[in-house]
C-alpha cells in the first residue's frame, strides 16, 4: 500500500472517531460506583454523567417533567434453567423546572433538592448514595453472581404527545449501557470501580 493511501485511511478513521465521539456526547455514562456491605446488607453509591440534547433541555425549560430510573439487578447463571434473579431494585428521580423561582427541582424517594443551573440539577440526578439494593437474606454466600447497573430516561412517564415524539426521535432515548461486574457475597466489603 502506498503512503498516500495509508494517510487517507488514517484521516478517514480519525474523522470517523471524531464524529462518533461528538454523536455520543449526549446521554448517560457511569462515572463511578461502590457497593458496600453495611450490617449484612449491600448499599450502592454511584455517579452518572448525564448530558441532555438541546431538545430535552428546552422541554425541561418549558415545564416538561423528566423521570430518570436507575436499575440494579443481581443474577446467577444456571445451566439447567433461566438465570436466577435474587435481587432487583429500581429507583426513580424526578427533574422539573420551576419558572417562578427559576430553579430546578429534583425529587427522589421523599427527598427534594433545588439547583440553580441545569448542570447542577443533572449532577444531583446522577448521584446515588446509600441505596439498599441487596438485603442479607437474598444471597447464598457460597455462590457467585453478576451485578448490573444502568440509568435511563423513563419515556413512559412523559406526557402522551412527548411519548409519540420520543418514538420518532433518538434524542429523547437517553440511556446508559448496562454496567456488569462479578459479585461474591464473601468477597471484599467494598467493591469499587
Amino acid at each position: 500500500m502506498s503512503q498516500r493511501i495509508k494517510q487517507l485511511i488514517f484521516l478517514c478513521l480519525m474523522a470517523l472517531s471524531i464524529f462518533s465521539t461528538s454523536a455520543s456526547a449526549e446521554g448517560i455514562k457511569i462515572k463511578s460506583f461502590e457497593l458496600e456491605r453495611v450490617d449484612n446488607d449491600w448499599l450502592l453509591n454511584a455517579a452518572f454523567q448525564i448530558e441532555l440534547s438541546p431538545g430535552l433541555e428546552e422541554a425541561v425549560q418549558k415545564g416538561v417533567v423528566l423521570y430518570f430510573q436507575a436499575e440494579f439487578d443481581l443474577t446467577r447463571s444456571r445451566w439447567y434453567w433461566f438465570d436466577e434473579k435474587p435481587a432487583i431494585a429500581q429507583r426513580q428521580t424526578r427533574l422539573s423546572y420551576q419558572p417562578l423561582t427559576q430553579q430546578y427541582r429534583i425529587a427522589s424517594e421523599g427527598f427534594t433538592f433545588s439547583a440553580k443551573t441545569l448542570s447542577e440539577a443533572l449532577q444531583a440526578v446522577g448521584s446515588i448514595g446509600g441505596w439498599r439494593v441487596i438485603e442479607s437474606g437474598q444471597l447464598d454466600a457460597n455462590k457467585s453472581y453478576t451485578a448490573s447497573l444502568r440509568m435511563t430516561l423513563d419515556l413512559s412517564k412523559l406526557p402522551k404527545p412527548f411519548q409519540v415524539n420520543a418514538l420518532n426521535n433518538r434524542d429523547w432515548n437517553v440511556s446508559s449501557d448496562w454496567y456488569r461486574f462479578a459479585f461474591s457475597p464473601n468477597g471484599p466489603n467494598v467493591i469499587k470501580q
Side-chain angles (χ1 to χ4, degrees):
M1 226 189 290
S2 72
Q3 185 67 18
R4 192 171 254 345
I5 293 174
K6 288 180 184 176
Q7 288 175 341
L8 183 61
I9 291 172
F10 177 74
L11 288 174
C12 288
L13 289 174
M14 287 297 293
L16 183 62
S17 70
I18 290 170
F19 176 72
S20 66
T21 304
S22 65
S24 66
E26 297 156 356
I28 303 175
K29 296 174 185 72
I30 188 164
K31 292 185 344 186
S32 65
F33 84 91
E34 176 184 76
L35 201 55
E36 177 181 19
R37 185 183 318 193
V38 176
D39 298 331
N40 292 326
D41 293 339
W42 289 87
L43 304 181
L44 177 73
N45 302 310
F48 292 90
Q49 178 181 344
I50 304 171
E51 295 181 21
L52 300 180
S53 67
L56 276 171
E57 287 183 14
E58 183 180 350
V60 171
Q61 291 279 334
K62 293 190 176 184
V64 176
V65 178
L66 300 181
Y67 291 86
F68 292 88
Q69 184 159 318
E71 300 172 67
F72 175 87
D73 68 32
L74 195 67
T75 58
R76 184 175 67 83
S77 296
R78 297 187 287 195
W79 64 271
Y80 58 89
W81 197 247
F82 298 112
D83 291 347
E84 176 188 12
K85 292 196 176 217
I88 297 174
Q90 295 180 342
R91 177 182 182 151
Q92 199 163 69
T93 305
R94 180 178 180 264
L95 171 65
S96 61
Y97 180 68
Q98 306 295 320
L100 190 59
T101 60
Q102 295 182 348
Q103 291 188 338
Y104 295 89
R105 301 274 298 165
I106 300 95
S108 180
E109 297 187 351
F111 296 105
T112 58
F113 175 76
S114 295
K116 293 189 183 288
T117 66
L118 182 59
S119 62
E120 286 177 12
L122 292 174
Q123 186 176 1
V125 168
S127 298
I128 297 173
W131 180 25
R132 181 172 319 233
V133 291
I134 305 170
E135 295 179 6
S136 59
Q138 294 176 302
L139 300 176
D140 183 346
N142 300 320
K143 298 190 173 150
S144 60
Y145 300 88
T146 300
S148 304
L149 174 66
R150 80 169 178 169
M151 181 178 276
T152 61
L153 174 63
D154 189 353
L155 299 176
S156 68
K157 300 282 186 185
L158 291 172
K160 293 295 181 198
F162 290 102
Q163 288 181 20
V164 173
N165 186 34
L167 291 173
N168 299 324
N169 191 344
R170 287 184 353 167
D171 291 345
W172 286 73
N173 291 315
V174 180
S175 175
S176 72
D177 293 329
W178 279 102
Y179 181 74
R180 291 180 169 79
F181 54 96
F183 173 78
S184 173
N186 288 333
N189 284 339
V190 177
I191 300 168
K192 290 185 179 185
Q193 177 227 3

